[in-house]
Amino acid sequence: MVSQKVVIQNPTGLHLRPAGILCKTAMQFKSSITFTFDRTTANAKSVLSVLGACVKSGDEIEIKCDGVDEQEALTAMVDAVENGLGE
């Protein structure tokens, strides 16, 4: 398992469009991908789970990847968040 903390950059947080982009990125990998925020763990491959975490701009999340392609998955997820998730 690998993990990394990252700050949400986009100004509106993880609303529907960026949550969809985050999920689309996560679903490209076989690894289990979750993130934790404020004592909540969300499945990064589920839009409803991501939206339910109520992550706002400037919040720090910890992305955790576990599986055969965990390092590639973590790199892609962190890059997606740092690039603003399409916004």
Side-chain angles (χ1 to χ4, degrees):
M1 183 187 76
V2 293
S3 66
Q4 183 174 334
K5 292 183 179 182
V6 64
V7 175
I8 299 300
Q9 303 291 328
N10 57 311
T12 54
L14 291 181
H15 65 86
L16 189 55
R17 190 173 349 150
I21 292 171
L22 188 72
C23 290
K24 186 176 179 181
T25 303
M27 289 193 297
Q28 296 174 7
F29 300 96
K30 293 180 181 178
S31 295
S32 167
I33 304 172
T34 61
F35 69 85
T36 54
F37 168 69
D38 194 30
R39 295 174 290 183
T40 301
T41 299
N43 177 357
K45 295 183 179 183
S46 165
V47 173
L48 291 178
S49 184
V50 172
L51 291 173
C54 299
V55 179
K56 308 284 187 259
S57 179
D59 289 342
E60 182 179 72
I61 64 172
E62 182 176 10
I63 300 171
K64 297 178 183 178
C65 302
D66 188 17
V68 294
D69 53 1
E70 61 190 24
Q71 190 58 57
E72 296 86 359
L74 181 63
T75 301
M77 295 295 288
V78 169
D79 286 347
V81 171
E82 288 180 344
N83 289 321
L85 295 165
E87 292 193 341

